[in-house]
Structures are given as structure tokens and as C-alpha cells.
């Protein structure tokens, strides 16, 4: 059989006699040659009923059986393939397009579950008639396991960071905030003596008083942004108006909030994730955007929850948008948002230009109850 014939449209499928089949397999192996033996991927050839006709050394390593032990056995049952749709539908696709691929879960001889990138190709004779299928399986088990572990670790790191921020916010408020308040009080007490000091010194003192006011407002804003309010108790819908108003007042960024009044409770993880994302976006607006306005919209529908935070500031550098959407930034804010979004199974999009910046996140959300889930 020529290499290109597997991609031609089949006219129908046929069952071969054992002798015809043996010859066809020999011919196919000759054509595949060294590739079959030395490929790192598992290669499995099955007949039109799905029984194994041959598999290569990589398949032996991946699944744990020698080729002689599996000949004639039904491949899909042997490795307990979990198909995403009925086999008949996949066979229709193979008949129509000659090709199908998917990431599949299988089980090896030791009973361990493995993950493979599986590509199926119709195997046809020189007349274009389907006589079986070719499976090419790339082992992704270690990669997927590593990704899963990374996700767990990054989830822990995010929690630690949340805790750290909460503590920092409280400490900042209780230490620097209190000290500045006392300094401000002392300065106010000294105001009545200003007439007795040289005018230049009085001007400096007045300047100091203004600087302390600024520092106080900055410390309060930062600690407010770091320290989350009563999210657990009030829920996202309950906290948002209050939090946004507090942010507006402290940062002097005029923020509009468009959110459903009656929202019930979302799953706890999701509420916390959305709130942290909002906090980071508002912190970024305060720190970087120079915008005096911002809009927040939160909507529910089509089994999704969508949060969009937009400012009308100077916009991000192109690298930050790209990094926020795909890669890394020097700061941890946007990459933290990306991590949270991945962990919660959502999507994220950042758009930015000279009109400002918009960060939008969407999460699947099935359950909405009146109590935290
Ligand atoms: N709303 C915004 N307007 C303009 N630039 C922004 C905005 N949000 C983020 N940026 C830019 O994107 C960069 C990356 O943001 P990110 O939140 O990841 O880090 P950071 O805010 O600098 O540090 P961190 O969040 O770790 O405290 C920022 O340094 C800033 O240049
Ligand atoms: Mg940031």
C-alpha cells in the first residue's frame, strides 16, 4: 500500500481473509519501515473490527504488553480507552475525513491510568477501501501530571500570597497608618504656636502636614486594597457596592458598578477568585493607569459569570497585554489573575490602548444558590 493511499477517500470497508490480512500487514510494515520500529510514539494497527494486528516497541513500553501477547485482542477494550463520543461517530468521521484526534485516557497493564494525544487514521488498501485503523499515541502522562502538580502548587502559592497581603494590609493600617495619624495630631497641636516660629519654618511645617495627609490617604488606600472585607459573610454581591464605594472614596477614582442586585451565592472559590481579580485590577488602575474613572460590570447568564474591569487611563505597554494574556510579567498581579483563571477553568482577555485598559474574565458557573457553596 502506498503511503498516500491512507488519506484517500474510502469507497467502503471490507473484511479480509486471514491470509489477505497477513499480507496487508506485512506490506504496511514494509512501507512504514524503520519509522514503525524506532518511533517514540506508540503505533498500533487494528483491523476493521478494532482487533490488534501489530504494535511497535514504543506501544510495548507504553502499555506494558509484548506484541505477541496482544495480537487479535480488541485494542480499545484492552487499554480501556475512555472515548469522548460513541465509537460509531468517530468511525463516521474517519470514513468522511480519514483522520480523528483527541486527548484520551487509557489504562496500561499495571492498571495505571495514562494520558495520550491520540491520532487515528483510516487504513485503506490500494483501492481506497478501508481495511482498518492506525493509532498513533503520544504519551502525555508525565506532562499532564506535572501540570496538575504545578496547578496545585500555584494554588497554594496564591493562597499564601492572599494571606500575606491580608496581613500586610492590616499591619500597614495598624502601624504606619497609626504613626502617621499621631504625627498629624502632633502637627495640628503645634499649629497654635505657628505664630511664634519664623515664617519659613511655619511654611515647612504646613508642607509637612499636607505630605502627611497624602501619605495617610495612600496608606489607607493600599491597606484597603490589600485587606479583603467580609466576603465570606456577605458574599460577592453584598460586598461589591461597599468595597467599590470605599475604593472610590480613598483613591479618588470614580467607579461605576453594574452588577445584578439579587445574585445569590456563587461557589466560595469562585467568589474569592472574582474578588481577588477585582482587587488586583483596581490596584493596577490606582497604581498604573492615571485614570480618574473606571467601570466594573459583573453579569450572570448562560451558565457563566463574567467580570469586566475597565479604565479610561493611559493604557498598558504592549508587552504587559501580551504577558497578561499568555506569558509572564515582572509583576505578579496579572500572572496571578491568569493562574486563578486557569485554576477555576475560566478564560481571560486583556485589551488596552490609548483609550485605557479592559480586563475581562469569564468562568463557567452552574450552581447559584442563596447560601455559599
Ligand atoms: N490598568 C492599567 N493601566 C496601565 N497599565 C497597567 C494597568 N494594569 C497593569 N498595567 C501594566 O502592566 C504591568 C503588569 O501589571 P501587574 O499587575 O502584573 O504587575 P504590577 O502591578 O507592576 O506589580 P504587582 O501586581 O506584582 O504588585 C504593570 O507594571 C503596568 O505597567
Ligand atoms: Mg499589579
Amino acid at each position: 500500500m502506498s503511503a498516500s493511499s491512507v488519506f484517500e477517500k474510502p469507497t467502503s470497508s471490507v473484511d479480509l481473509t486471514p491470509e489477505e490480512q497477513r499480507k496487508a500487514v506485512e506490506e504496511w510494515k514494509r512501507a512504514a519501515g524503520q519509522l514503525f520500529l524506532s518511533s517514540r510514539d506508540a503505533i498500533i494497527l487494528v483491523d476493521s473490527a478494532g482487533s490488534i494486528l501489530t504494535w511497535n516497541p514504543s506501544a510495548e513500553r507504553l502499555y506494558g504488553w509484548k506484541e505477541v501477547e496482544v495480537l487479535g485482542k480488541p485494542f480499545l477494550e484492552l487499554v480501556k480507552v475512555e472515548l469522548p463520543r460513541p465509537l460509531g461517530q468517530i468511525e463516521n468521521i474517519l470514513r468522511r475525513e480519514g483522520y480523528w484526534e483527541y486527548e484520551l485516557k487509557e489504562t496500561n497493564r499495571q492498571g495505571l491510568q495514562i494520558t495520550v494525544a491520540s491520532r487515528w487514521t483510516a487504513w485503506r488498501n490500494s483501492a481506497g477501501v478501508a481495511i482498518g485503523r492506525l493509532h498513533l499515541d503520544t504519551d502525555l502522562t508525565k506532562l499532564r501530571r506535572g501540570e496538575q502538580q504545578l496547578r496545585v502548587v500555584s494554588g497554594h502559592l496564591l493562597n499564601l500570597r492572599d494571606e500575606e497581603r491580608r496581613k500586610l494590609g492590616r499591619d500597614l493600617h495598624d502601624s504606619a497608618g497609626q504613626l502617621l495619624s499621631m504625627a498629624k495630631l502632633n502637627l495640628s497641636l503645634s499649629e497654635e504656636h505657628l505664630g511664634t516660629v519664623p515664617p519659613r519654618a511655619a511654611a515647612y511645617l504646613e508642607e509637612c502636614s499636607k505630605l502627611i495627609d497624602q501619605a495617610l490617604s495612600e496608606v489607607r488606600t493600599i491597606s484597603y486594597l490589600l485587606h479583603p472585607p467580609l466576603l465570606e459573610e456577605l458574599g460577592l454581591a453584598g460586598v461589591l457596592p461597599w468595597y467599590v464605594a470605599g475604593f472610590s472614596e480613598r483613591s479618588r477614582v470614580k467607579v461605576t458598578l453594574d452588577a445584578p442586585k439579587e445574585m445569590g451565592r456563587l461557589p466560595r472559590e469562585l467568589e474569592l477568585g472574582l474578588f481577588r481579580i477585582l482587587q488586583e485590577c483596581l490596584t493596577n488602575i490606582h497604581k498604573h493607569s492615571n485614570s480618574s474613572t473606571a467601570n466594573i460590570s459583573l453579569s450572570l447568564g448562560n451558565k457563566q459569570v463574567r467580570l469586566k474591569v475597565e479604565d479610561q487611563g493611559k493604557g498598558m505597554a504592549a508587552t504587559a497585554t501580551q504577558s497578561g494574556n499568555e506569558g509572564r510579567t515582572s509583576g505578579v498581579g496579572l500572572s496571578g489573575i491568569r493562574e486563578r483563571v486557569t485554576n477555576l477553568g475560566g478564560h481571560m482577555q486583556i485589551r488596552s490602548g490609548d483609550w485605557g485598559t479592559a480586563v475581562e474574565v469569564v468562568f463557567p458557573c452552574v450552581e447559584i444558590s442563596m447560601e455559599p457553596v
Side-chain angles (χ1 to χ4, degrees), residues 80-99:
K80 302 191 179 75
V81 176
E82 293 174 16
L83 292 176
R85 49 166 79 191
L87 180 61
Q89 287 183 11
I90 301 173
E91 282 174 334
N92 280 340
I93 296 173
L94 280 180
R95 262 193 289 280
R96 236 181 15 248
E97 293 163 26
Y99 186 78

Side-chain angles (χ1 to χ4, degrees), residues 52-356:
I52 300 168
L53 295 169
T54 180
W55 77 11
N56 70 347
S58 282
E60 292 186 342
R61 278 192 296 276
L62 181 63
Y63 297 114
W65 287 278
K66 292 271 164 228
E67 188 191 27
V68 286
E69 297 175 282
V70 298
L71 292 179
K73 300 225 164 103
F75 174 62
L76 300 181
E77 280 92 332
L78 180 73
V79 299
K80 302 191 179 75
V81 176
E82 293 174 16
L83 292 176
R85 49 166 79 191
L87 180 61
Q89 287 183 11
I90 301 173
E91 282 174 334
N92 280 340
I93 296 173
L94 280 180
R95 262 193 289 280
R96 236 181 15 248
E97 293 163 26
Y99 186 78
W100 180 77
E101 66 182 325
Y102 209 81
E103 188 169 314
L104 297 174
K105 296 259 185 276
E106 299 176 341
T107 303
N108 69 10
R109 186 178 200 163
Q110 288 77 40
L112 299 175
Q113 195 168 66
I114 56 178
T115 308
V116 296
S118 191
R119 280 138 294 170
W120 299 18
T121 317
W123 178 39
R124 298 179 187 134
N125 65 13
S126 49
V129 179
I131 52 175
R133 291 194 306 266
L134 182 68
H135 292 238
L136 201 88
D137 285 358
T138 309
D139 187 10
L140 300 179
T141 314
K142 279 197 188 131
L143 185 73
R144 292 290 175 260
R145 218 173 275 151
E147 283 172 357
Q148 178 58 26
Q149 280 163 353
L150 259 183
R151 226 166 281 142
V152 171
V153 172
S154 77
H156 281 316
L157 282 178
L158 281 175
N159 286 344
L160 279 178
R161 185 173 181 246
D162 286 350
E163 265 316 303
E164 198 72 352
R165 288 184 142 201
R166 195 197 303 255
K167 190 171 168 316
L168 193 68
R170 219 177 27 232
D171 290 354
L172 201 61
H173 181 269
D174 294 351
S175 58
Q178 298 299 353
L179 290 174
L180 283 169
S181 297
M182 277 164 64
K184 174 75 187 161
L185 191 72
N186 285 350
L187 272 179
S188 321
L189 291 174
S190 68
E191 258 168 28
E192 57 190 84
H193 307 294
L194 281 186
T196 62
V197 296
R200 192 135 173 213
Y204 281 137
L205 284 173
E206 223 166 280
E207 181 65 26
C208 275
S209 176
K210 281 191 194 134
L211 288 172
I212 288 178
D213 280 342
Q214 272 176 25
L216 252 178
S217 134
E218 197 67 6
V219 163
R220 286 203 186 113
T221 308
I222 293 169
S223 78
Y224 187 80
L225 279 164
L226 292 171
H227 195 340
L230 303 164
L231 182 65
E232 291 266 308
E233 289 85 341
L234 299 181
L236 194 61
V239 153
L240 275 186
W242 175 78
Y243 185 73
V244 167
F247 170 79
S248 266
E249 191 188 309
R250 285 164 179 81
S251 64
R252 300 196 198 290
V253 178
K254 203 164 168 288
V255 186
T256 64
L257 170 67
D258 179 13
K261 289 204 171 48
E262 288 299 320
M263 207 173 78
R265 297 295 301 263
L266 304 177
R268 188 169 284 147
E269 290 281 285
L270 190 54
E271 285 199 338
L272 184 64
L274 282 164
F275 185 74
R276 287 298 186 190
I277 291 169
L278 177 70
Q279 271 186 311
E280 179 56 38
C281 289
L282 290 180
T283 307
N284 278 349
I285 291 173
H286 173 63
K287 274 202 318 198
H288 308 296
S289 74
N290 288 347
S291 180
S292 57
T293 51
N295 318 93
I296 300 169
S297 82
L298 180 75
S299 58
L300 285 163
N302 290 336
K303 297 186 178 164
Q304 285 184 332
V305 55
R306 184 180 295 268
L307 172 72
K308 186 164 159 193
V309 186
E310 201 170 1
D311 67 58
Q312 288 71 41
K314 66 179 170 123
M316 291 180 182
T319 47
T321 334
Q322 279 161 12
S323 320
N325 282 326
E326 298 146 22
R328 310 260 161 250
T329 57
S330 53
V332 287
L334 292 179
S335 47
I337 294 183
R338 188 161 22 80
E339 273 317 299
R340 281 185 209 280
V341 169
T342 311
N343 286 351
L344 292 165
H347 294 285
M348 160 185 194
Q349 196 190 22
I350 300 178
R351 289 179 295 112
S352 193
D354 52 11
W355 49 268

